[in-house]
Amino acid sequence: MSRAGEVGRAGEVGQAGEATRAREARQDEAQDGKSGLVMVLDSSGSMADDDGSGQTRMASARAAVGTVVDALPDRFPTGLRVYGADQPKGCTDTRLVRPVEPLDRAGLKQAVGALRPKGDTPIGLSLQKAAGDLPKPAEGAIGTRTILLISDGDDNCGSPAPCEVAQQLSKDGVGLRIDTVGFQVRGAARQQLECIAEAGNGRYYDAPDAKALARQLQRSAQLSADGYRFRGKPVEGAPRRDAAPSVAPGQYLDTIGPGEQRYYAVGLDAESTVEFSATAVPQPGAAVDTFDALRTSIAYGTDSACATSTERFFQKEGATPLTSAVARIPSEKGTSGCDRAGRYWLVVERESKKGSDAGRWPLELTYGVEQPLPRNVTPAQSQPEYGEGDKDALLPTGDPRDVAGGTGFNDAKEIGQGIWRDKVLPSQTLWYKVPVGWGQQLRYDVEFANEPTVDGSSSVWSYGATQVFTPGRSPVGGGTGEFSPQTVYNGRPTALEMGTVPVAWTNRHESHPNVVPVHAKGGFYIAVTLGAKAAEIAENPRIGVVLRVAVMGEELAGPQHNAPALANKADKKGDAAARADSEATGGAGWTGTAIAAAAGGAVILIAGLVLVLVRRKPATGAATDTTTSRRSA
């Protein structure tokens, strides 16, 4: 089968098997009160109008809500609020008809079936009440709580003003989003619904007909159900270094607002490599500016820094996870100011332009310490070239296997060499983890499906993107290197190539930002993103993607010079490495066990230049400042 045929198959409706079971299985984590969805359904008098298909708008809404609840995973907390359903006139006519509790498909369908359009449209009041309908997360817990407003008109009550309500709610609640779906709306009504979504850290979805209504409701609801799964110990960073909390190696959760800096104090020895990452997780598709940024640094002394890294969205379609990572790497001669043992600070800073999401972003932090090699071990030479793993590498061919990508670093789906098929929502990032050993390199393609478009043409443009992260959560491989991490998507087939240089301990002493982080074996993370505007393009709620994954080179027994190769063995999917090699380039099998090093991320957006790696050492005693163009979606 051709590549185009395989990608087309990935876009077919009804993909089941392992992918569906995996998505439903991970919903158990939503039962701790971190996540939930409340639909707010317009039942005002205008919903009795014909929608142009011979049935009322309410009849189409009933069918669409039924489609949504059938597609949601079992037990996902879901509720329903309505307005305009009980009184011919009245601006207090809003009622919770099904509480937010583990999914009751039959109960929700029955509740919607009993509605009869009658009254006014008190949208502002309904939003206020809906925020209270969502369970409050346990202290320190972070999840995705969604208000999904479905309306065929604007608020005719005036007070409280819907946009002002949405703006206040978005500031008060971390993890709260308000999505709006406009059913056959235009003019002032559409503008108000767009305003509510933007102010509420969400997205506006346009539904000109019943089919579009069902599609857009599914997209919003599934984004809530598939929200980023956070892990970590709660911590509250300080705005100044003298008040910073002391943290030990581990994983932490905090939040960060626009323009804020967060400091965390650490005590470092003189020999260990220290890796620090920060993953900001805005609501999917929330308003961001091209140059909104997340910056990390490791500071010491009164005004010095060992390393600084800045990640930007570099697009305005909508937010996605954004990860910045830095490392304190002792110099080879031990003469750098950062080589000394003592007190340091891990620093996170958020930059936001006017009009960007003003809410606080959940922040997932990782702080890891890697001990130096024993003094009698000579490390292997660094490997700063892509070599056979460049953009022209031959990758596996054949039939893809279904897989369900994770929501973030913490539940990234482990995959091996082969061909994998999944589906992605507009504004969504899917996550996978691939074990890569000493001397090996990761190389993969991402192919976005040929999809039927809503207007039969390709007049709207969005993007597809990918990024690869090291076990320490450092993004590598794109922006200014061999690969281009972003491509235009308009419903037609398109593909991206991505990869890393081989893993070598001594890479840490190279100078190129795509080489330095690739210095430890373990689970490398693949993130795949589809832009928010794809919701205006494709007919199917999800868009098919295919990953062609190769782990190239023989796995070595360790980081030392002249380390022997490990014997090939079957991977966890039951495919022998030798067989996998026969489908791609020789010697591309993988072996070994993944090393956990969870973290969250962002995907690069700016197309890369051809990488020319220069074998030179970084200057000692000076901070490394890396600014990279990462994707935000």
Side-chain angles (χ1 to χ4, degrees):
M1 178 178 290
S2 69
R3 284 196 171 195
E6 291 166 4
V7 180
R9 283 180 54 188
E12 296 173 2
V13 178
Q15 177 178 314
E18 179 187 347
T20 300
R21 291 192 296 272
R23 279 203 172 91
E24 292 188 350
R26 71 176 181 233
Q27 298 314 316
D28 291 336
E29 292 191 29
Q31 305 314 305
D32 55 10
K34 294 180 182 178
S35 300
L37 165 71
V38 58
M39 291 180 281
V40 179
L41 178 60
D42 186 349
S43 190
S44 62
S46 59
M47 289 291 284
D49 294 346
D50 193 310
D51 72 353
S53 67
Q55 63 180 3
T56 66
R57 291 175 178 172
M58 179 56 73
S60 295
R62 291 190 190 105
V65 170
T67 300
V68 169
V69 299
D70 284 341
L72 283 172
D74 292 342
R75 304 176 301 281
F76 184 73
T78 307
L80 175 68
R81 172 173 287 275
V82 299
Y83 59 83
D86 298 329
Q87 305 168 18
K89 286 284 186 180
C91 286
T92 60
D93 184 7
T94 179
R95 173 168 54 95
L96 181 66
V97 296
R98 298 294 301 182
V100 180
E101 58 187 15
L103 182 62
D104 178 359
R105 292 187 174 91
L108 283 164
K109 291 178 183 179
Q110 184 178 13
V112 175
L115 297 175
R116 298 294 179 266
K118 291 181 182 177
D120 290 319
T121 56
I123 292 176
L125 179 61
S126 297
L127 293 175
Q128 284 183 335
K129 298 290 186 181
D133 298 335
L134 290 164
K136 297 295 183 184
E139 185 176 355
I142 299 176
T144 301
R145 297 178 300 138
T146 302
I147 298 172
L148 173 53
L149 171 65
I150 307 111
S151 181
D152 74 341
D154 55 351
D155 185 300
N156 67 351
C157 290
S159 180
C163 284
E164 294 178 9
V165 170
Q167 187 174 46
Q168 188 61 49
L169 291 175
S170 69
K171 290 180 179 179
D172 291 345
V174 175
L176 178 68
R177 64 182 283 118
I178 304 173
D179 282 352
T180 60
V181 178
F183 187 21
Q184 299 185 329
V185 299
R186 57 177 61 90
R190 174 167 176 164
Q191 290 174 9
Q192 185 179 78
L193 293 173
E194 290 175 334
C195 176
I196 293 169
E198 183 174 356
N201 301 335
R203 295 291 300 183
Y204 169 77
Y205 296 89
D206 194 48
D209 53 43
K211 186 176 180 181
L213 179 63
R215 174 174 63 244
Q216 304 292 40
L217 290 183
Q218 285 185 71
R219 285 171 171 161
S220 172
Q222 289 292 339
L223 277 178
S224 180
D226 289 342
Y228 191 101
R229 300 293 188 266
F230 293 92
R231 290 181 190 164
K233 180 180 178 181
V235 66
E236 187 173 348
R240 307 180 315 276
R241 62 177 65 190
D242 60 353
S246 295
V247 296
Q251 187 160 317
Y252 298 89
L253 295 178
D254 199 355
T255 64
I256 191 167
E260 284 188 357
Q261 280 187 324
R262 309 292 269 178
Y263 286 84
Y264 313 87
V266 295
L268 304 185
D269 63 26
E271 297 182 323
S272 300
T273 292
V274 173
E275 295 186 307
F276 174 54
S277 79
T279 299
V281 187
Q283 291 300 315
V288 292
D289 184 85
T290 299
F291 295 104
D292 286 354
L294 186 72
R295 179 175 298 110
T296 52
S297 59
I298 299 177
Y300 71 100
T302 56
D303 58 359
S304 300
C306 303
T308 300
S309 178
T310 302
E311 306 294 333
R312 303 185 187 275
F313 289 112
F314 277 95
Q315 53 85 25
K316 292 185 176 181
E317 277 195 34
T320 54
L322 190 64
T323 294
S324 178
V326 287
R328 192 289 297 266
I329 299 173
S331 64
E332 291 180 281
K333 296 182 178 180
T335 57
S336 166
C338 291
D339 291 342
R340 293 190 290 268
R343 188 173 180 83
Y344 291 74
W345 290 268
L346 310 178
V347 189
V348 184
E349 182 179 0
R350 174 182 165 188
E351 292 181 1
S352 295
K353 303 298 182 182
K354 184 178 179 181
S356 296
D357 176 6
R360 299 191 67 80
W361 289 352
L363 198 62
E364 189 171 78
L365 310 170
T366 62
Y367 161 33
V369 177
E370 180 190 15
Q371 298 299 319
L373 294 177
R375 296 189 183 279
N376 61 345
V377 173
T378 300
Q381 184 178 353
S382 59
Q383 298 197 54
E385 308 290 343
Y386 285 98
E388 293 184 359
D390 64 12
K391 63 182 180 180
D392 296 322
L394 297 177
L395 300 183
T397 59
D399 292 331
R401 288 180 283 180
D402 290 342
V403 67
T407 67
F409 286 102
N410 302 309
D411 63 351
K413 177 65 177 179
E414 185 169 323
I415 59 177
Q417 176 150 306
I419 308 172
W420 307 91
R421 177 174 57 194
D422 204 347
K423 289 187 175 182
V424 61
L425 294 162
S427 300
Q428 186 179 39
T429 301
L430 299 176
W431 299 80
Y432 312 88
K433 183 167 65 174
V434 183
V436 182
W438 293 113
Q440 294 184 312
Q441 64 188 123
L442 175 61
R443 175 68 175 84
Y444 67 95
D445 284 0
V446 178
E447 301 165 15
F448 294 88
N450 185 20
E451 290 282 346
T453 57
V454 294
D455 60 0
S457 66
S458 305
S459 57
V460 179
W461 300 81
S462 185
Y463 72 91
T466 189
Q467 181 57 47
V468 59
F469 298 83
T470 68
R473 299 189 175 189
S474 180
V476 296
T480 57
E482 172 81 6
F483 303 104
S484 298
Q486 180 264 347
T487 185
V488 170
Y489 183 71
N490 66 346
R492 301 294 177 258
T494 188
L496 288 167
E497 302 91 11
M498 186 56 68
T500 72
V501 298
V503 178
W505 192 92
T506 317
N507 281 352
R508 70 193 65 210
H509 295 306
E510 289 288 337
S511 60
H512 198 282
N514 289 342
V515 176
V516 174
V518 188
H519 60 244
K521 73 169 186 175
F524 280 66
Y525 298 90
I526 295 172
V528 176
T529 296
L530 184 65
K533 290 189 70 174
E536 303 173 28
I537 298 172
E539 278 191 357
N540 294 324
R542 296 181 186 270
I543 286 79
V545 291
V546 166
L547 282 79
R548 300 174 184 276
V549 178
V551 180
M552 308 182 71
E554 292 183 307
E555 182 180 5
L556 304 179
Q560 68 271 23
H561 178 63
N562 287 333
L566 294 176
N568 286 341
K569 51 189 175 183
D571 71 24
K572 293 183 178 181
K573 303 298 177 183
D575 288 343
R579 195 188 87 174
D581 289 350
S582 70
E583 296 177 343
T585 55
W590 62 265
T591 57
T593 304
I595 294 179
V603 186
I604 309 185
L605 216 163
I606 298 299
L609 303 174
V610 175
L611 172 63
V612 179
L613 295 174
V614 181
R615 295 291 304 280
R616 59 183 175 84
K617 306 300 180 186
T620 60
T624 301
D625 190 347
T626 303
T627 301
T628 323
S629 48
R630 305 292 176 203
R631 171 279 320 149
S632 108

